[in-house]
Amino acid sequence: MAIPLATTGTASFGQIAIVTGVVSLLYLALAVLLWRERTGHVTLVGRFADTIGRLDGVPRWAALTPYLHAVSLLACAFGVWWDIAVHIARGRDTGPFGTPAHYPIFFGILGVIVSGVLPIALAGKPLPAGTIRLTKGWRIPCSAALVTVCGTFALVGFPLDDVWHRLFGEDVTLWGPTHLLMIGGVVFSIFARLLAIAEVEQLGPVWQSSAYCGALGTAPRRTGAKATMRRIETFAPAHRATAPSTSSLRRWITRQDLVGPNKRRVFQEIVSVGALLIAWDLFSTEFNYGVPQFPLILQPILIVFGAAMAFTILRARRGPGSTFAALAVYLVIRGGIAWAVAEPLGQLVGHFPLLIVEAILVELVAFALGNQNRFRLGVVSGVLIGTVGVVAEYAWSQVWMPIAWPASMLPSAIGYGVVAGIGAGLVGAWLATRYAEVAGEARAIGIKHIRPVAVRRTHQLGAVGLVAVAATVFFCVPRSAHAGVSGTVSLERANDGGQPAAYVTIALTPGDAADGARWFEALAWQGGGLVYHPMEKVANGTYRSRDPLPMYGKWKSMIRLHQGQRDLVASWVYAPEDAAIAKPAVQVSDGQRVEFINEQQVLRREERTDVPRWMWNAGYALLAAVGLLELAGIAWLVGRAAHGGRLRAAHLAADEQTGRSERVGREIR
């Protein structure tokens, strides 16, 4: 069966040509940079990296990425919140670049890709252990590969999004599969940034030893020194500096202050975790703007997941107060973006959770139990965030969130929150353990077994946590729409600047259909703004909108009802004719009886209904496979870097023990 492609919201030939040209020029420039750097030529980028590297005390390959990646993330986050606000206020756009908000997203994604390619081009001595070999003499850090992979997945989402709209119509929701692919690629790149920080931390002693080698210019005179340098070269293949003298080498090995992070790297890690909190909040944006298209229970689950995972990653490796520092980054930048979109740009205010109580809980757990056992820290923190944290965010929703959580949802929110919190704590502890091993930790802290068993056990715990979170989310995502709810509408005309508007009153059948509802609201959007009014009970089974709804122009006005855990239905009040998608006008009259239908048919008016089910299933399955492939790539690259870090730490410990034995032998002699 031939199905004609949709044309609304899709890219024109000119837009496709512009995007293709920009991406081609960028990749050509990166290819030239790669060729010149790998053939030994001097480049402006290389000189700049050398300068920044000397100032920051890091290898040249690690010098530029932190700053470019941070700017790129900020551009993407700002663009996404701006873009969603525009869609809520004005409806669909005219293509991938139909609104200015798409430009910061597009160039931000390109920036993420560049921040991954730069360390690949500049990769050279010294390198961390567990590198990836591209050619003979060319090895790259795992973090560089991971940033590039995540950025590529995000960029691929742009053309796939256009294809998806042509096949299925425009899905006006953040949680469309291609939208999640783009956002997910950028969010996951933050894990690569944390990995890069750990890799540089691992190189603390190697970086110092290269300075010794360059200054002394001498060859090792004793077997112990030769063995140590041989092992260093084995696990940092690009480090080929002349070996130092025995005394210098021993001084490097025994100076523990050279091992571990400096203040600048700790600051970068705090900023990265703050960015993770900000980026994770993107998935909750529809809830934060007041137009969610999925069950409300998902909002507390997402909050618990993001807070428990991010705060555990940071506090499991850093000292007291580190979670408060990351929280400050989150609140300042997230609040700044919300203000910038609402005030200078004149769009909607994006609300957001505070996460203050969640940070306090993690700090209290670390104070009481310590952070040596990371998995215990993650589990206990997750339980508290899933209970006390959920109650705190429930209270905050009554103050500022567009949709206040009903008290009837609190028991299920706590139940799912505990499961999601434990799972997120385990995932955060797994990542923190892997990052610690990359940085040079000799053992998996908190697992009391011999080395191979300890590593396997941490993998098992991390996998259990990921499955627990995924199962909770996927169980709560599906929507349903049980038929049987109807009502008689009464319209009370109101003066709204000369334009038609009306208070909407509806007498429901059955009369208890809205009892205990998670939301029951009058909503109008895409007519130049957002109008959101809770339906207030005026009699048994009868409800009235708190304020009038617009019924003119491009406004789409409706009544939405969220029953139980997942039943989402809606009834039209007004919608204009839309000839581009062959939809007639809708105008409910006073006294008319209306039926509540699946709200997806109302909120996603542009989505096609003439596409076979197998095409939908195939499209979702394909993009799900792409997402799983991305997750597998993250796990493999982080695990590979951690394996290299463990091996290198074990060899350095063995060499240090050999040095001690030599000293004892000389003293005896």
Side-chain angles (χ1 to χ4, degrees):
M1 180 176 62
I3 300 177
L5 298 180
T7 57
T8 57
T10 59
S12 64
F13 176 78
Q15 289 177 328
I16 294 174
I18 292 173
V19 172
T20 303
V22 171
V23 174
S24 299
L25 287 175
L26 176 67
Y27 274 77
L28 177 62
L30 292 175
V32 171
L33 175 65
L34 285 166
W35 173 74
R36 289 187 61 82
E37 282 290 337
R38 303 320 302 177
T39 53
H41 293 82
V42 176
T43 64
L44 291 176
V45 173
R47 287 182 176 179
F48 188 46
D50 291 334
T51 301
I52 300 300
R54 284 193 300 270
L55 294 174
D56 286 355
V58 298
R60 67 199 306 259
W61 58 265
L64 301 180
T65 296
Y67 306 102
L68 178 58
H69 189 254
V71 172
S72 301
L73 288 177
L74 189 61
C76 287
F78 174 74
V80 169
W81 271 299
W82 183 14
D83 183 50
I84 294 173
V86 169
H87 281 297
I88 291 172
R90 302 179 186 174
R92 64 176 180 263
D93 51 42
T94 58
F97 292 97
T99 63
H102 288 185
Y103 287 92
I105 301 174
F106 177 66
F107 287 107
I109 291 175
L110 293 183
V112 171
I113 293 175
V114 173
S115 67
V117 174
L118 285 181
I120 294 176
L122 301 172
K125 56 186 179 184
L127 287 173
T131 52
I132 299 173
R133 178 178 176 178
L134 296 183
T135 63
K136 184 178 180 180
W138 186 10
R139 305 184 74 95
I140 63 172
C142 290
S143 61
L146 185 51
V147 173
T148 306
V149 167
C150 292
T152 301
F153 272 105
L155 183 62
V156 168
F158 259 92
L160 285 181
D161 189 53
D162 189 66
V163 172
W164 187 272
H165 290 170
R166 291 179 188 275
L167 289 174
F168 304 112
E170 191 165 4
D171 49 343
V172 187
T173 172
L174 171 71
W175 286 21
T178 52
H179 303 158
L180 291 179
L181 181 63
M182 287 185 281
I183 295 172
V186 174
V187 173
F188 292 153
S189 72
I190 299 173
F191 296 122
R193 181 84 285 278
L194 292 167
L195 177 59
I197 294 170
E199 287 175 333
V200 174
E201 185 177 334
Q202 177 196 127
L203 291 175
V206 175
W207 188 240
Q208 296 292 336
S209 71
S210 67
Y212 283 132
C213 297
L216 294 170
T218 56
R221 297 190 293 271
R222 300 184 188 275
T223 304
K226 288 182 179 179
T228 301
M229 288 308 298
R230 187 161 56 249
R231 288 187 174 94
I232 293 171
E233 292 184 348
T234 300
F235 297 105
H239 180 58
R240 291 291 185 266
T242 306
S245 65
T246 306
S247 59
S248 298
L249 180 60
R250 186 175 296 116
R251 185 162 68 251
W252 163 63
I253 293 174
T254 57
R255 280 196 60 191
Q256 294 302 314
D257 59 320
L258 296 181
V259 182
N262 60 23
K263 292 182 179 179
R264 183 177 283 109
R265 284 197 291 275
V266 171
F267 175 75
Q268 290 178 356
E269 188 169 1
I270 288 171
V271 170
S272 296
V273 172
L276 181 59
L277 292 169
I278 297 166
W280 196 262
D281 190 51
L282 283 169
F283 294 117
S284 301
T285 300
E286 286 187 355
F287 296 98
N288 296 340
Y289 273 124
V291 288
Q293 300 186 34
F294 292 86
L296 185 60
I297 190 65
L298 287 164
Q299 187 177 20
I301 291 174
L302 290 172
I303 292 173
V304 169
F305 185 14
M309 177 180 61
F311 286 139
T312 298
I313 290 174
L314 183 60
R315 190 61 182 87
R317 297 218 318 123
R318 301 306 177 201
S322 55
T323 57
F324 295 145
L327 175 67
V329 172
Y330 162 77
L331 291 175
V332 170
I333 297 180
R334 181 66 188 90
I337 293 176
W339 174 84
V341 171
E343 294 300 328
L345 297 176
Q347 301 297 329
L348 304 174
V349 176
H351 302 72
F352 52 89
L354 289 181
L355 306 183
I356 294 174
V357 172
E358 289 86 335
I360 294 173
L361 292 172
V362 176
E363 286 289 342
L364 289 176
V365 172
F367 177 77
L369 304 178
N371 63 349
Q372 287 74 26
N373 189 323
R374 298 190 178 99
F375 288 89
R376 180 178 63 186
L377 172 67
V379 168
V380 177
S381 298
V383 171
L384 290 176
I385 290 174
T387 53
V388 180
V390 166
V391 172
E393 295 301 339
Y394 162 80
W396 177 241
S397 76
Q398 310 301 311
V399 176
W400 200 50
M401 282 294 180
I403 300 178
W405 300 353
S408 60
M409 191 183 77
L410 203 52
S412 58
I414 291 175
Y416 290 123
V418 168
V419 177
I422 292 173
L426 290 173
V427 172
W430 182 85
L431 286 166
T433 302
R434 299 287 83 83
Y435 292 145
E437 290 174 340
V438 173
E441 184 178 282
R443 64 187 182 92
I445 291 179
I447 304 296
K448 298 178 181 179
H449 290 285
I450 60 174
R451 189 83 194 107
V453 175
V455 173
R456 286 198 298 271
R457 184 66 58 82
T458 61
H459 291 331
Q460 293 166 3
L461 292 172
V464 168
L466 184 61
V467 170
V469 171
T472 303
V473 171
F474 283 114
F475 178 76
C476 296
V477 161
R479 298 159 298 183
S480 58
H482 289 174
V485 180
S486 60
T488 301
V489 175
S490 299
L491 301 177
E492 180 185 343
R493 298 293 175 177
N495 184 12
D496 188 19
Q499 298 289 356
Y503 292 90
V504 179
T505 302
I506 185 166
L508 293 175
T509 304
D512 61 350
D515 292 352
R518 298 199 169 172
W519 68 59
F520 188 33
E521 63 182 30
L523 174 74
W525 69 336
Q526 299 183 354
L530 176 66
V531 176
Y532 173 92
H533 305 308
M535 297 294 290
E536 298 177 338
K537 191 172 185 178
V538 295
N540 289 335
T542 303
Y543 296 81
R544 182 178 187 268
S545 63
R546 189 175 59 192
D547 291 296
L549 286 181
M551 302 177 67
Y552 60 90
K554 295 183 178 180
W555 285 102
K556 299 173 184 176
S557 300
M558 67 201 74
I559 301 172
R560 303 177 68 204
L561 175 61
H562 181 353
Q563 302 168 300
Q565 181 172 300
R566 61 183 63 186
D567 285 343
L568 281 72
V569 294
S571 173
W572 279 115
V573 174
Y574 169 82
E577 180 185 9
D578 196 334
I581 55 175
K583 298 290 185 180
V586 177
Q587 176 67 71
V588 173
S589 58
D590 188 38
Q592 180 177 341
R593 189 163 188 83
V594 296
E595 297 288 334
F596 283 79
I597 59 177
N598 185 339
E599 77 162 19
Q600 187 171 343
Q601 300 176 34
V602 179
L603 291 173
R604 302 192 197 175
R605 202 182 186 200
E606 293 86 354
E607 220 168 44
R608 301 179 65 179
T609 58
D610 58 342
V611 179
R613 190 68 236 176
W614 69 265
M615 286 185 62
W616 286 98
N617 294 336
Y620 281 116
L622 176 61
L623 291 172
V626 172
L628 290 174
L629 183 63
E630 187 174 11
L631 287 176
I634 292 172
W636 179 74
L637 287 168
V638 172
R640 179 188 176 93
H643 177 70
R646 291 194 302 269
L647 290 178
R648 181 177 176 277
H651 277 264
L652 289 178
D655 287 335
E656 186 171 356
Q657 182 62 40
T658 301
R660 289 198 191 100
S661 299
E662 288 180 355
R663 290 196 299 274
V664 171
R666 286 196 298 272
E667 290 173 0
I668 293 175
R669 290 194 297 269

